[in-house]
Amino acid sequence: MVVHVMNRYTAVAEHAGAWWAITVAEMPGVFSQARRLDNVEHMARDAIALMLDVPPESFEIDVRQVLDPEAGGG
């Protein structure tokens, strides 16, 4: 039996003005941005696929939102 394991990448989304700045933890130098948090995975997937020259559905994405400590309630 052959088990296919997909690569998994972490898209780190940090709010920057009206945008979400996206970096990929496992791939230094891969950046993107999204207007809305729900678009982060799609934009990160496109950037990774482009960099690796692979289909966008050939790997998994985890989105990690970085919260601004100044924005939290107190």
Side-chain angles (χ1 to χ4, degrees):
M1 179 166 102
V2 175
V3 176
H4 179 70
V5 177
M6 294 181 104
N7 287 336
R8 181 175 294 273
Y9 300 96
T10 305
V12 180
E14 188 169 355
H15 207 245
W19 294 86
W20 288 94
I22 306 165
T23 56
V24 179
E26 298 81 3
M27 299 183 72
V30 175
F31 304 97
S32 191
Q33 62 184 7
R35 273 277 194 202
R36 297 187 344 222
L37 187 59
D38 63 347
N39 290 331
V40 168
E41 180 180 344
H42 173 76
M43 297 305 289
R45 187 174 295 281
D46 281 353
I48 294 167
L50 196 79
M51 180 65 88
L52 297 177
D53 194 25
V54 297
E57 63 278 356
S58 66
F59 51 87
E60 298 290 329
I61 297 278
D62 293 321
V63 175
R64 183 170 54 106
Q65 179 183 356
V66 177
L67 300 176
D68 180 359
E70 308 257 333

